[in-house]
Every structure is written in structure tokens, then in C-alpha cells.
Amino acid sequence: MIEILQGDITRLDVDAIVNAANPSLLGGGGVDGAIHRAAGPQLREYNKTLGGCPPGEARLSPGFNLPARHVISTVGPVWHGGDQGEARILENAYRNSLELALANDIRTIAFPAISTGAYGYPREQAARIALRVMREYEPRFDRIIAVLHSKEDYDLYKRILEEIQGE
Ligand code: AR6
């Protein structure tokens, strides 16, 4: 089942929250900064052992001080206008996060709106990709949660999910 929530992803008690990271996996701003602050410095120490992550791939870490049991870090594309393979990389970020979750018996997972902040991906196009991949994987999870920071993004996701469910 897909759920759409407005709020702070670091507060969720789920098997895994997904981080919109950068390829270093060592922290940054936005949701990445919030997750590292809430998880504690052990997350950065652990991620040093992972050796980074290319765009579109995903890596697993423990949740440390988070209510969530795991952090799945993925790296979305930086938006360069849309002709640099951004859509495929964004789709892969969602898909590889969900595949990594399945391989680790994760049944409840929460995603932020990957790439739509500092990385500049147009929000509506990104939401369509996110929700289409979530729909595809929905039967294999107990909960797939999209967590939106702003009311605007929350409303956008609600609208697009209704559109997709009507197809
Ligand atoms: N919970 C849920 N969503 C949040 C939270 C939160 N606590 N905080 C912010 N968002 P961004 P990106 C939303 O910039 O575009 C970092 O520096 C935010 O409103 O966090 O993938 C990394 O290290 C936006 O809608 O991620 C990378 O360098 C969404 O999360 C780079 O930013 C994603 O915005 C990644 O950029």
C-alpha cells in the first residue's frame, strides 16, 4: 500500500528510510543533513566503510539513533535540463532502493522526494517517476510511504497518485 504523508522523514518508525544522499554518503544539507543529525555520528562512520555510491545506486546502513531500523542511501541525478539521462537515473534510484530493501527483508519503507531540492529536478516530473516505481513494487511491501516536507509537494503527490491509480 502506498501512503503519502507530510512531515519529517527522520521521525518515522519503519524498517527503512531512504536518504537522498550525495555520492560520498558522508552527509550534506536538506534531508541528508536531517537524517545524519537524527541518526548520530555513527552513520557517517559506518558510511565511510561503504566507499561511496554512484547516482542511481543504493547502499544499506543501520538506523543507529533513528526510530527506523535502516537507512537506505541513494543518489539521485543532478538536473541538467533533462537530456543527460536524469529520468533513468532517478527511476534507478527508486528501483535500486526497493530492490535492496527486498533483499534485506524490509517490508516498510519511506522515501523523500529525491533530487527535487538541491539537485533541482522538476517536482512534478520527479513525482510521476517516484509514484510509478512505487506502484510497481507495492504488492511486495506492507507499506511504501512518500514523505513530503511541504504542503505543495504533499498536494502534488496526492493528485498524481490519484491520476496513476485511475489509469
Ligand atoms: N523529511 C522529508 N523531506 C525532507 C526533509 C525531511 N526532514 N528535509 C528536506 N526534505 P534535498 P536532493 C525534502 O535537497 O535534491 C544534500 O546536500 C526537501 O524539501 O534534501 O536529492 C545531499 O548531500 C526536498 O523536497 O535532496 C546532496 O548533495 C527533498 O527532501 C543533495 O542535497 C529533497 O531535497 C541531494 O539533493
Side-chain angles (χ1 to χ4, degrees), residues 17-93:
I17 61 172
V18 177
N19 187 12
N22 62 65
S24 79
L25 303 183
L26 300 182
V31 70
D32 190 13
I35 289 173
H36 275 268
R37 275 193 301 279
Q42 304 100 305
L43 180 59
R44 189 170 196 275
E45 290 307 307
Y46 184 90
N47 284 359
K48 283 181 183 170
T49 69
L50 298 178
C53 180
E57 294 189 17
R59 299 288 184 270
L60 186 71
S61 311
F64 297 106
N65 296 336
L66 289 164
R69 265 72 72 201
H70 300 92
V71 175
I72 291 177
S73 297
T74 189
V75 181
V78 177
W79 181 256
H80 289 295
D83 59 1
Q84 312 265 319
E86 292 95 331
R88 175 53 65 87
I89 296 169
L90 187 62
E91 179 181 333
N92 285 343

Side-chain angles (χ1 to χ4, degrees), residues 7-10 20-22 27-32 34 76 112-120 147-150 153:
D8 176 1
I9 198 168
T10 66
N22 62 65
V31 70
D32 190 13
I114 297 164
S115 282
T116 65
Y119 280 1
V147 186
L148 292 317
H149 214 42
S150 71
D153 282 342

Side-chain angles (χ1 to χ4, degrees), residues 1-4 131-132 135 138 157-167:
M1 163 161 164
I2 298 174
E3 297 167 48
I4 297 174
L131 287 166
R132 272 188 203 289
R135 278 283 274 175
E138 188 176 13
Y157 266 62
K158 282 275 187 195
R159 173 167 65 78
I160 291 171
L161 182 60
E162 271 174 32
E163 266 180 50
I164 290 175
Q165 284 173 335
E167 280 170 9

